[in-house]
Amino acid sequence: MEPATVAPGPLSPGIAVASLVLLVITLLLLYLKPKSSIKSAKVELVRRASTAAEEDLSKPSVRILYGTQTGTAERFSKQLGNELRRKYGDGTLVEVVDIENYKAERRLPKERLVLFLMATYGDGEPTDNAADFYSWVCNEVEDVENGVKERHLEGVHYGVFGLGNKQYEHFNAVGKKMHTSMEALGATPVCGRGDGDDDDSIDDDFEKWCTELFAALDAQPELLGAAAVGGGSDTAAAYRVELLAAGSKAASPFPHGNGSSAHDPYWAVISEVRELHTAASGRSCVHVEIDISGNSQLKYETGDHLGMYARNSEQVVAGMAALLGLPLDTSFKLHTEGEGAR
């Protein structure tokens, strides 16, 4: 006797519809669950970011923006930032920002105090990292002058220190343009424009401008508040000196690389130096030839920049050692606030 078999028959309409609805619901749950999790994570991130922004707005702040080609404006900006932190303490937010990473259209109208350290490059042009910002500012000024837009930087206070070289025709053109542009957009200068001349003593120029800036901030405590107890306006950086044990290996003062960047310099030999102006001209322009034949990867193209590291003479080194009362073979590390050993 053969086992009985049951032939499958068609499902009833009610069962088919119920099965289809159950399948659709299951697929929807599987599809929506990860999206819901992602959405919750995004909401949480936005909430945290908003909270952080509110915390920043609860205290005075100053933004230091730099446009640099060889690193001087960046160095000055970080130096100024450290001094402002020391002067005002934790009660004031100090932020140093590469101007290329600054969202000007959104952030600039909301600033209380912004300081620009802007180098001029080439024939009166902005540096590579400042080109977009500079173009935006110039366009904004043009729109205001043509009546397309209203002045929208009222309430913003600013300061400008320009970096340039008086040997060039358009000395500090970018710094000068930034100063007049900010005023044209309704912002208020907190102090006079500073002009740093790399042909003379740009560090002294910067120190002079910082002195004027700090005096102006002291006279306007509503911008950053009162200076912290023990704060001052001395722009000299505070260092902690760590003397190393005798025989410690000294670090190389500068790296030796292939010349691809300022952080990877190639040590080349200066083969010729001669003055192109006569004594009667009152100006100086030096022709310098540099031997790069030892580096097959290093090529010079028109418009390239050259950074030079100066070496102290043996007399200067000996004099400094005598002044400090230390032997010439002393090794030490310098520590600055918020930075590692140097």
Side-chain angles (χ1 to χ4, degrees), residues 195-210:
D195 289 325
D197 181 14
D198 197 39
D199 190 48
D200 191 4
S201 179
I202 196 169
D203 286 84
D204 290 344
D205 296 332
F206 180 61
E207 183 175 352
K208 178 183 177 182
W209 179 75
C210 285

Side-chain angles (χ1 to χ4, degrees), residues 13 41 47-48 52 64 74 105 114 118 148 169 176 191 214 231-232 268 287 293:
R47 185 181 296 114
R48 290 179 182 177
I64 304 173
E74 180 180 4
E105 189 169 2
V114 58
M118 306 292 287
V148 178
E169 179 182 358
K176 295 173 181 177
C191 65
F214 292 138
H287 170 88
S293 60

Side-chain angles (χ1 to χ4, degrees), residues 127-205:
T127 57
D128 293 340
N129 73 316
D132 289 342
F133 178 88
Y134 187 75
S135 176
W136 174 81
V137 166
C138 292
N139 289 336
E140 291 294 295
V141 171
E142 185 176 347
D143 285 345
V144 169
E145 291 176 344
N146 292 334
V148 178
K149 291 183 178 180
E150 297 292 331
R151 288 153 48 107
H152 55 276
L153 295 186
E154 286 87 352
V156 178
H157 290 74
Y158 73 96
V160 176
F161 181 77
L163 298 87
N165 189 308
K166 284 186 176 177
Q167 294 294 329
Y168 290 87
E169 179 182 358
H170 303 285
F171 172 61
N172 270 345
V174 172
K176 295 173 181 177
K177 180 67 174 179
M178 278 302 307
H179 188 82
T180 57
S181 296
M182 288 294 292
E183 194 165 20
L185 294 176
T188 303
V190 71
C191 65
R193 187 190 72 241
D195 289 325
D197 181 14
D198 197 39
D199 190 48
D200 191 4
S201 179
I202 196 169
D203 286 84
D204 290 344
D205 296 332

